[in-house]
Amino acid sequence: MKRLLLVCIIGLMLGNTATIIALTTNLSPGTVNLLLAGGLGLTILSVIGIVLAGYYTKKRK
């Protein structure tokens, strides 16, 4: 479970970083769309993973 949380936290940081890069840099529209979609998707998946890991550990106790 600790490994899953670590992967989710790293994914959350990478997703937020990709979104910030897409919103603040002057890249081509295709690259911006790719970074926004990828960053948002990775952030959402990471949050879901963290919530599910927390729910699973509380249910286990």
Side-chain angles (χ1 to χ4, degrees):
M1 199 55 58
K2 289 180 184 179
R3 186 170 292 159
L4 175 64
L5 282 175
L6 180 65
V7 168
C8 286
I9 290 171
I10 291 171
L12 187 65
M13 290 189 299
L14 289 175
N16 286 338
T17 302
T19 304
I20 289 171
I21 289 171
L23 292 174
T24 58
T25 57
N26 198 11
L27 300 170
S28 66
T31 307
V32 169
N33 288 338
L34 181 66
L35 282 172
L36 276 175
L40 185 61
L42 191 57
T43 301
I44 290 171
L45 285 175
S46 297
V47 169
I48 290 171
I50 291 170
V51 169
L52 288 177
Y55 175 74
Y56 177 73
T57 54
K58 282 193 176 197
K59 190 175 180 182
R60 234 173 113 195
K61 288 183 178 181

